[in-house]
Amino acid sequence: MPPPLDTSQPRLATGCRWGPQSKTGSEEDRMILFPEGAIKLQGTGRQVLERCDGQRTFGEIIAELQKQFNAADPAKIRSDISQFLEQLQKKRIVDY
């Protein structure tokens, strides 16, 4: 699968959605539900996927996260997020 382009607009794939909040009401406990199962994302992975709303472009998502994690190498941020989205696309969780 090809990596996302800067103009790609990542979004949850058809059939995938955020699950309900836990009984504790913590947003951190929410999961992505997809036809084959569910995954719980935390930290940066969750921040990336929350931005995959079909409105923001991959380039905008990268810029936001590079600004947020300004101490990290911008090229590494781009590479890591690109690989992360490619993995999610292979699992049919994200489309772009």
Side-chain angles (χ1 to χ4, degrees):
M1 304 248 160
L5 303 172
D6 277 357
T7 56
S8 300
Q9 293 176 299
R11 66 198 170 285
L12 290 179
T14 302
C16 298
R17 62 184 172 87
W18 285 101
Q21 287 183 339
S22 70
K23 292 179 183 178
T24 63
S26 171
E27 282 287 317
E28 290 298 313
D29 291 336
R30 289 181 69 198
M31 296 188 293
I32 294 293
L33 306 176
F34 57 101
E36 293 84 23
I39 58 169
K40 181 178 177 182
L41 295 169
Q42 297 178 333
T44 307
R46 182 180 173 83
Q47 291 179 36
V48 170
L49 204 53
E50 286 174 337
R51 288 172 167 85
C52 293
D53 56 11
Q55 303 297 311
R56 293 178 178 104
T57 65
F58 177 69
E60 290 169 339
I61 293 169
I62 295 298
E64 287 175 20
L65 292 169
Q66 286 173 338
K67 196 177 294 184
Q68 181 177 347
F69 299 104
N70 61 3
D73 177 13
K76 175 122 174 74
I77 291 172
R78 174 178 288 277
S79 172
D80 288 352
I81 293 171
S82 179
Q83 289 176 11
F84 177 66
L85 290 179
E86 285 178 71
Q87 290 173 352
L88 291 178
Q89 186 184 41
K90 286 178 189 172
K91 293 181 181 183
R92 298 182 188 145
I93 297 171
V94 169
D95 284 330
Y96 49 82

